[in-house]
Every structure is written in structure tokens, then in C-alpha cells.
Amino acid sequence: MTPPLLEVHDLHVDIPMPHARLHAVRGVSLTVGAAESVGLVGESGSGKSLTLRALLGLLPRPARIVSGTILIDGEDVTGLPAKRLRRRLADTMSMIFQDSLTALNPVMRVGDQIAEAPLRRLGKSRGEARAIAVDLMREVGIADPERRYELYPHQLSGGMRQRVCIAIALSTKPRLILADEPTTALDVTIQAQVLGVLRQLKQEEHVGLLLVSHDLAVVSQTCSRLYVMYAGKVVESGDLVDLVTEPRHPYTFSLLRSVPDPDRRVARLLTIHGRPPDLTQPLTGCSFAPRCPFAEDACRVGEPEPVPAGTGRLSACRRVDTAERWTAMAEEEAGSTR
């Protein structure tokens, strides 16, 4: 059997602080197959972006990987020297950062930024690198690429800058793109265009995608499988359709209930009450228990590990009830508080 393109096992990332240690990523495991689109979703601060950065060796100081294993095509690369590891990862993966304006060099033409990797890493001549950059700009939907090659980042719109970032990610011919909230600062129309570019790349170039987002609508348009993160840990994973229609963890259920439904009138938007836990302190039970409307006393003793919750499904919950049961309980709770 062919191994997945990317496998991550029990990844831990800590951030040393003056008087404590923040356990930002706590045992994340995930897989991405060749040409597969996978989503990583959760609230801000859940550890999604740090997970992506850890995979490419781009953790901000003083964050560091404490333990875990990263495999590419079944090969364990975590024991490689730092320079060889970065090269091996860079040969397989590229990253699209969240803020295109800060990701791009403000004093360098956007075309030259796309051409840099073909010129310096792929050994192309300046003419060949420029031709590759122009072709990539055209491929990601930038009209009149020869003229826009000469422009600087501030001369482009947010959506156009994000397309430049996608072209840069493609310039090394990766098999997997890591996208960190690539549509956050864009309006809905431009979001749809950028997501359309990513879907087209998957279909035509067979490029895999690991997409980080806090927006379930974004990942539902793009991904076939989802990992749901909460407090630095994956609490549920599975097929997109199964996870959205019948969540097996109350955090996933609560996220889905928080998404506004344009076809349903409500007096107020539903929210998840409370705050995520302090990850500088030891957790004594399920990390979501203080905010969970279905928590029991047993949930506050010992943090549960992900267990099978159906075909291809994992859930870190002691009460793997069905979505219908949770919905009934939530409606009953809402009725009692009116």
C-alpha cells in the first residue's frame, strides 16, 4: 500500500514563557494523501497555524517542537539535520501565509518574487525564471501577467496579492500546499475566487492541500476531510460530509451551531460560552468540559484520547452521541432558558 504523502504523529509544540511553559500543540496526528484536500479547523488560538509552521520548520522563536514524528512518503524525516530537513520539506511542501501584504517583500517586484525559487533553487536562467513566473501568474488567474510582473505588492488588491502568494507557493513545484487562513482578509467575492483557484490547482495539477481556517464554510467548499482542533489538540476527524451532518464531538457540534443560517430567522446568534483553557496549566479533564453543555462529572477527570466513532471517524469524547441526540438536548436547554 502506498503511504500518505504526509503523516504527522503525536506532534507537541511548546512556547517557553518567563514564568511558565505554554503547551500550544498537544499531540496532533494527521495524514494527507497525494492530491487530497484536508481541512484543519478551530477557534483562533487553537494551535492550527503553529502546527503548519512546525511542519515546515518555520516556528517563531522561542516556540519549538518537543516531540513527534513527521513522515513524507513513509520516510521519517524528523531525525534529519536541520538544513537537510528544511530542504526535504521544501522539496515537498510550500506555504501560503495568512496576510499577503506582510508575506510579500514590499520593495521587490511581485514577478521577481515568484521567479526567485526557479532562479535560485531550480537552477533556471533569468529568462527561464521570468517565463515560469509569468506562466504561474496566468495560471492563478492574474490577467495581463507581463505588465503586472513589474508591479509592487502595494499596487495590487488583496485578492491579487493572495494569487501572487499562491503562485510563489507553486514555483517550487510542490506536491502539497499548506494554506494558513488564505482568505481571512478578503471579502466574500474574492474569497470565492481564491478558493476556486485552489480547487482548480487540485484538479489540474494534482496538488494536495492542507487548509487551515476558523471558517467552516471555507473548508466545506474545498476539503474532503476535516480535523477539528481545540486547545492544541485534535478532538475530532473524519470525512467532511459525515462530520458536518453528524458531528461526534460537542465542540464540533457547537461550531456548526454557531454558523449563521441565512434561511432561518433567530433572535440572536448562537455562541460557545466561556473561554478556552489556560494551556500553561495542567488540564485535569476534557479541555472542552468547562464550555460543554453536555459535560458530566466524569468528563472532568482525565483528558480523553480520540477513539473510533464510526467508519474513518475519531472523536475525543466520552459521550459519542449522535448529532440528533445533542440537538434535542440543546433545544430542550434553550426552551428552559426562555
Side-chain angles (χ1 to χ4, degrees), residues 19-88:
H19 304 291
R21 182 176 294 273
L22 177 65
H23 306 291
V25 177
R26 305 182 301 123
V28 166
S29 296
L30 57 85
T31 64
V32 184
E36 183 183 23
S37 295
V38 175
L40 189 59
V41 300
E43 293 173 279
S44 296
S46 60
K48 310 182 301 298
S49 296
L50 278 180
T51 298
L52 284 200
R53 288 176 175 271
L55 297 182
L56 274 177
L58 297 176
L59 285 172
R61 295 181 179 179
R64 65 185 184 90
I65 295 177
V66 177
S67 62
T69 305
I70 301 171
L71 292 91
I72 297 176
D73 294 324
E75 175 193 357
D76 185 356
V77 300
T78 48
L80 295 177
K83 189 172 182 179
R84 283 187 58 198
L85 174 62
R86 284 195 298 270
R87 179 173 292 278
R88 181 68 174 90

Side-chain angles (χ1 to χ4, degrees), residues 6 21 37-38 63 73 106 114 117-118 125 131 154 166 171 174-175 181 188 194 210 222 228 230 244 303 324 333 338:
L6 171 69
R21 182 176 294 273
S37 295
V38 175
D73 294 324
I114 300 170
S125 68
H154 72 274
I166 295 173
S171 66
R175 290 186 291 152
E181 305 261 15
V188 175
V194 171
L210 179 55
T222 314
V228 181
Y230 181 75
V244 169
E303 189 169 19
E324 289 82 1
E333 178 192 64
R338 287 185 184 131

